Amino acid sequence: MRNLASAFLLLLGLNITQPVVAEEEQAEALKVSGAYVREPIPGRYMSAAFMTLSNTSATDKTLVSVSADWAGIIEIHTHIHDNGVMRMRQLESLTIPAGETVSLQPGGLHLMLFKLQLPLTEPLPLTLCFDDGECQTASAGLRSLQ
C-alpha cells in the first residue's frame, strides 16, 4: 500500500510540473521583436502595426487573430501585385514556419488596426492567438508618421 501511495504521489507530481514546463516552452517558441504601431493620420481611427515574428520551435505556428483593448478590430493583411496595382488583402491566418522568421513591414504583411481609441499611449499591448488555442501578449511602441 505504501508503494502504491508513493507511486501515486510521484505521478501526481509529474502531472503538476509537466504542463507548467510545456507552457513555458510554448510561450518561448514565438519571439516578437520590433513591434510598433504607426501613429494614425489626424482625424482617422485606423492605422497599421508591424513586427518580426520568430518561431524557435520545431513546429509551425499559425496566427489566427490579434486583439487589443485600444483597437476595435485588428486584421492580418498583405499586399499583392494585381495587374500593375498594389492591393491590400485580408488573410484568415498567417503561418510562421518552424525555425523561421516572418516580418510584418510596410508594403508587405502587416496588421490593420480599425476603430482606434485615441489618443494612443505606449505601451500598446497586443494579444496574438494561434490555431492551437494558445495566445501570447506582445507590447508595441508608437511611431510618428514622419
Side-chain angles (χ1 to χ4, degrees), residues 36 38 48-51 79 103-110 143:
Y36 71 95
R38 270 208 184 134
F50 309 97
M51 65 196 68
H79 280 97
S103 293
L104 280 64
Q105 58 192 10
L109 293 166
H110 61 281
R143 285 198 191 165

Side-chain angles (χ1 to χ4, degrees), residues 13-140:
L14 289 175
N15 286 336
I16 290 172
T17 59
Q18 282 180 337
V20 172
V21 171
E23 287 176 18
E24 288 173 2
E25 287 173 1
Q26 289 173 352
E28 296 296 319
L30 188 84
K31 307 277 188 206
V32 179
S33 59
Y36 71 95
V37 171
R38 270 208 184 134
E39 188 175 80
I41 295 171
R44 298 288 183 120
Y45 292 86
M46 61 186 275
S47 189
F50 309 97
M51 65 196 68
T52 300
L53 304 171
S54 299
N55 182 355
T56 60
S57 74
T59 58
D60 293 352
K61 298 283 288 178
T62 301
L63 181 67
V64 294
S65 69
V66 181
S67 61
D69 291 340
W70 46 269
I73 300 169
I74 300 178
E75 298 175 350
I76 305 165
H77 278 222
T78 190
H79 280 97
I80 61 167
H81 195 268
D82 183 19
N83 293 323
V85 177
M86 289 299 287
R87 300 187 189 274
M88 192 169 37
R89 295 285 184 247
Q90 183 179 359
L91 300 175
E92 294 298 316
S93 63
L94 175 63
T95 299
I96 302 96
E100 293 190 25
T101 296
V102 173
S103 293
L104 280 64
Q105 58 192 10
L109 293 166
H110 61 281
L111 300 177
M112 280 303 302
L113 314 168
F114 301 98
K115 299 183 179 181
L116 298 176
Q117 295 179 12
L118 302 177
L120 297 177
T121 57
E122 297 177 286
L124 296 165
L126 294 160
T127 302
L128 291 75
C129 294
F130 302 89
D131 65 346
D132 61 3
E134 243 185 86
C135 292
Q136 178 176 337
T137 302
S139 185

